[in-house]
């Protein structure tokens, strides 16, 4: 699959809830592999985790180790509490 086939795909967490969509791919030059996905958070997710920004959409970088499957959607093995931990770890 080419990178343009991944960008824009909906990202779904464990349990089927929508997290957002892939905005970009972060390449790990050391290993020559995709290291993470930059995910533009769904508005409701951004609001739930108090990440809503005034003029731009909130994003979160998710390690590809959390990807369970890629098809019509990108399915993560991440639960809501785990995503909350990722968000709280990211905040300054």
């Amino acid at each position: 699959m080419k990178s343009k086939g991944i960008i824009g795909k909906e990202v779904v967490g464990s349990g089927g809830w929508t997290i957002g969509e892939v905005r970009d791919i972060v390449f790990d030059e050391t290993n020559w592999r995709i290291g993470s996905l930059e995910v533009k958070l769904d508005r409701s997710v951004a609001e739930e985790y108090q990440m809503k920004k005034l003029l731009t959409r909130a994003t979160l970088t998710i390690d590809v180790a959390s990807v369970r499957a890629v098809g019509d959607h990108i399915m993560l093995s991440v639960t809501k509490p785990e995503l909350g931990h990722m968000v709280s770890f990211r905040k300054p």
Side-chain angles (χ1 to χ4, degrees):
M1 175 177 286
K2 295 183 179 184
S3 61
K4 65 181 175 183
I6 295 174
I7 294 174
K9 279 196 181 279
E10 182 178 49
V11 178
V12 179
S14 180
W17 53 282
T18 300
I19 295 172
E21 72 177 42
V22 177
R23 179 177 170 201
D24 204 357
I25 296 170
V26 181
F27 188 72
D28 180 355
E29 295 174 5
T30 306
N31 299 320
W32 288 86
R33 296 183 179 186
I34 295 173
S36 56
L37 303 174
E38 186 176 311
V39 177
K40 179 172 56 173
L41 297 177
D42 185 75
R43 182 181 307 271
S44 63
V45 173
E47 288 174 355
E48 182 174 342
Y49 295 109
Q50 294 144 5
M51 292 183 65
K52 186 176 176 187
K53 296 182 179 183
L54 185 59
L55 299 175
T56 60
R57 298 290 296 268
T59 60
L60 182 63
T61 302
I62 298 178
D63 192 291
V64 294
S66 298
V67 175
R68 186 169 66 195
V70 177
D72 292 338
H73 308 298
I74 295 180
M75 180 65 95
L76 302 180
S77 58
V78 176
T79 63
K80 271 198 173 189
E82 291 169 335
L83 183 70
H85 179 72
M86 294 166 104
V87 168
S88 64
F89 181 74
R90 179 183 177 264
K91 288 183 179 179

